[in-house]
Amino acid sequence: MPLESGLLEILACPACHAPLKEQDDELLCTDQNCGLAYPVRDGIPVLLVDEARRPA
């Protein structure tokens, strides 16, 4: 389920403060050096670094 249009504009990566982009059921950090992927569960972004998936 896509996030509300205005919500994605104000969210940022908690680790590096870069903008996030939505992809499938995750929010991906747009910073090349960070690249963390945060899960979206039941339409709610889980912006906890401990819950994020590291880039492969």
Side-chain angles (χ1 to χ4, degrees), residues 2-12 20 22 27 40 43-45 47:
L3 296 175
E4 292 183 27
S5 60
L7 181 60
L8 196 55
E9 294 175 14
I10 62 172
L11 293 178
L20 297 170
E22 192 170 15
L27 294 177
V40 177
I44 301 169
L47 298 177

Side-chain angles (χ1 to χ4, degrees), residues 11 14 27 37-52:
L11 293 178
L27 294 177
Y38 298 93
V40 177
R41 296 186 187 127
D42 297 322
I44 301 169
V46 181
L47 298 177
L48 300 171
V49 175
D50 291 341
E51 294 283 327

Side-chain angles (χ1 to χ4, degrees), residues 21-28 37-40 53:
K21 67 178 180 179
E22 192 170 15
Q23 183 177 5
D24 300 325
D25 289 335
E26 294 181 319
L27 294 177
L28 302 177
Y38 298 93
V40 177
R53 180 178 56 81

